[in-house]
Amino acid sequence: MHSPLHHCKIITYADDTVISTSSSDINAIQSSLSQDLDNLSNWFRDNELIFNLKKEKSEVMLFGTGKRLNLFQGCQVKLSVNGFPINTTTCYKYLGMHLDPALNFETHFQKIYKKVVGRVNLLQCIRSSIDTFTAQRIYQSMIMPIYTYCGYTSLGWSASHKRMIRSIETRSLEIISPKCSLHNCDL
């Protein structure tokens, strides 16, 4: 297949497509993305495919080190395709991961922690109505996967973040079985 992209790289997964380019010059980023988005749009049209920018997540985001991001401060990449503007964002959710400009995963941690706490609270609310086996299965299938997705220990989370996760694990185990602890109970 002939690639319509001349400056950018493409990542596809199911119906998600990401194009990216790298440069220390914001104008070069703007130019590369604009040209390749136009090329991609033409390729879609020529192959009788739909380039759907109305989808909720057609966004542009700048990534970089703190130093690089400071250089880009106040700069925006302004893109549009077929008259549809592409908005700039500072947090992009891709395949379940919340990406932030410095890729420090702080936003991701805060969002998943809030979600886990909410589900643990729900488990606590229904616990008196379900048996221990069901409570364990709810924890294993609806709570634990949230914070284990993508191997949370490999994301470089701080010691305090890891303590917060251990604390919510302990709380969950106490809800499931008050006599249970991390050391003597296998879920």
Side-chain angles (χ1 to χ4, degrees), residues 107-121:
T107 302
H108 180 71
F109 178 83
Q110 295 303 327
K111 288 184 181 280
I112 67 154
Y113 186 76
K114 182 178 178 180
K115 188 174 186 177
V116 167
V117 167
R119 290 193 181 180
V120 169
N121 289 340

Side-chain angles (χ1 to χ4, degrees), residues 103-178:
L103 292 175
N104 64 18
F105 299 103
E106 180 65 28
T107 302
H108 180 71
F109 178 83
Q110 295 303 327
K111 288 184 181 280
I112 67 154
Y113 186 76
K114 182 178 178 180
K115 188 174 186 177
V116 167
V117 167
R119 290 193 181 180
V120 169
N121 289 340
L122 287 173
L123 178 60
Q124 185 172 23
C125 288
I126 66 167
R127 180 60 183 99
S128 63
S129 303
I130 58 176
D131 62 21
T132 301
F133 178 80
T134 302
Q136 288 173 340
R137 294 303 171 253
I138 289 171
Y139 174 78
Q140 290 173 331
S141 64
M142 299 185 74
I143 298 171
M144 194 172 68
I146 296 168
Y147 64 82
T148 59
Y149 177 67
C150 289
Y152 79 89
T153 56
S154 64
L155 292 176
W157 287 354
S158 68
S160 67
H161 286 158
K162 291 175 186 177
R163 279 191 303 276
M164 290 168 73
I165 292 295
R166 281 193 301 273
S167 173
I168 204 71
E169 287 174 321
T170 301
R171 181 171 168 234
S172 298
L173 293 173
E174 290 169 352
I175 291 167
I176 292 166
S177 178

